[in-house]
Amino acid sequence: MPIRSSARALPYNKANDGMTAIARLITRIRLRCLAYAAVLFKRTPEAVGIYRQLIALAPHDAVARAALGNLYAESGDLTAAVNEFEQLVAIDPRAADAWFNLGFLHDKREDLGAAERCFRKAVELSPSLDRAWYGLGLVLIRGGRLDEAIKVFARNIKLQPFSPYGYYQLGMTYHHLGRSTEAWKVYEQLAEFEPKFSATLKRDLQQTAPRAVARERDEGSVLKEVNIVEAV
């Protein structure tokens, strides 16, 4: 579930540095070209420095902030990446891709509550953003909320009917809830267009024991003990 581009340019605050509008624009174009070249040749520290210059010149440059956040994420500095995307959504609260990226990063940091909040914000802003639905489903699985995850993965495969990942997660979630009939129906749907991936699902349905164990407690009430389903 990779970081998505948040390349929507926004107006920026003019710095009181004596530069004319034309000079500022030329400087930004030059820095952007230098940054692209540094990224292309995998000179990450140089690219980071150039994007910092761009942001100092134009703090509301959403393209530069997203690119810098992506570079931090790729280099493993998740805290810095989160900071950039938090500033980006503060600048543009309706940037669904930026909310998705924040959810992805919080998930990597094991902050499931923050990840869920960001993924939900992303799908609220862009209901067709299938990756955000998928990310939300994984977070719900890891939190043991399998019934909710089923609804989310159903939405994901409706948006991406030929992507096998949502089918796999949906089938395994049904399986772990003990709903084997529905799990095998998902397998049959997947087998119609993705035989290789469906073979993986079939194997896991046959070999993996369900993890949702129901036992009676308190005069017939049901407690579900659910282990986390690992994501593929």
Side-chain angles (χ1 to χ4, degrees):
M1 191 167 57
I3 289 281
R4 288 172 61 95
S5 171
S6 300
R8 185 153 71 101
L10 297 171
Y12 59 93
N13 294 333
K14 295 181 179 179
N16 187 21
D17 54 10
M19 293 180 68
T20 66
I22 296 297
R24 187 184 304 280
L25 177 61
I26 292 172
T27 301
R28 291 179 70 194
I29 293 172
R30 179 179 63 83
L31 289 173
R32 196 178 298 282
C33 291
L34 289 172
Y36 286 157
V39 171
L40 180 63
F41 290 102
K42 301 187 184 303
R43 299 196 299 264
T44 300
E46 180 182 339
V48 167
I50 296 169
Y51 278 122
R52 283 176 172 167
Q53 291 181 60
L54 266 168
I55 291 170
L57 186 65
H60 284 57
D61 188 333
V63 176
R65 284 203 180 275
L68 182 57
N70 289 340
L71 288 172
Y72 282 136
E74 290 169 2
S75 64
D77 191 344
L78 300 184
T79 299
V82 165
N83 180 63
E84 290 304 322
F85 282 107
E86 283 182 341
Q87 293 190 61
L88 184 51
V89 297
I91 293 167
D92 184 8
R94 300 194 61 78
D97 278 348
W99 283 108
F100 166 82
N101 289 340
L102 262 181
F104 173 82
L105 292 166
H106 282 307
D107 185 31
K108 294 279 286 185
R109 298 174 78 195
E110 304 292 331
D111 189 344
L112 299 186
E116 179 182 352
R117 176 179 60 83
C118 292
F119 285 135
R120 288 193 183 279
K121 186 65 176 179
V123 297
E124 174 190 332
L125 293 168
S126 181
S128 62
L129 192 55
D130 55 276
R131 291 189 182 190
W133 287 106
Y134 184 78
L136 176 58
L138 294 182
V139 167
L140 293 172
I141 285 176
R142 293 173 63 197
R145 294 153 63 187
L146 302 192
D147 288 307
E148 294 179 61
I150 283 175
K151 298 177 182 178
V152 170
F153 284 123
R155 183 65 176 268
N156 172 255
I157 65 174
K158 185 176 181 180
L159 292 168
Q160 277 281 27
F162 296 107
S163 175
Y165 301 102
Y167 285 92
Y168 178 89
Q169 295 297 344
L170 180 60
M172 291 304 294
T173 305
Y174 275 131
H175 177 67
H176 288 297
L177 283 169
R179 297 164 63 175
S180 59
T181 299
E182 288 140 306
W184 284 105
K185 284 182 179 178
V186 173
Y187 159 74
E188 291 170 358
Q189 292 173 337
L190 181 58
E192 290 179 359
F193 68 92
E194 182 53 82
K196 185 175 181 180
F197 213 97
S198 64
T200 300
L201 176 57
K202 181 178 181 180
R203 180 200 66 199
D204 291 345
L205 290 176
Q206 291 174 331
Q207 296 182 357
T208 307
R211 299 179 186 178
V213 181
R215 72 165 184 258
E216 291 189 2
R217 189 185 69 170
D218 299 335
E219 297 181 358
S221 66
V222 175
L223 169 67
K224 289 184 177 178
E225 299 175 334
V226 183
N227 292 331
I228 295 172
V229 182
E230 295 296 331
V232 294

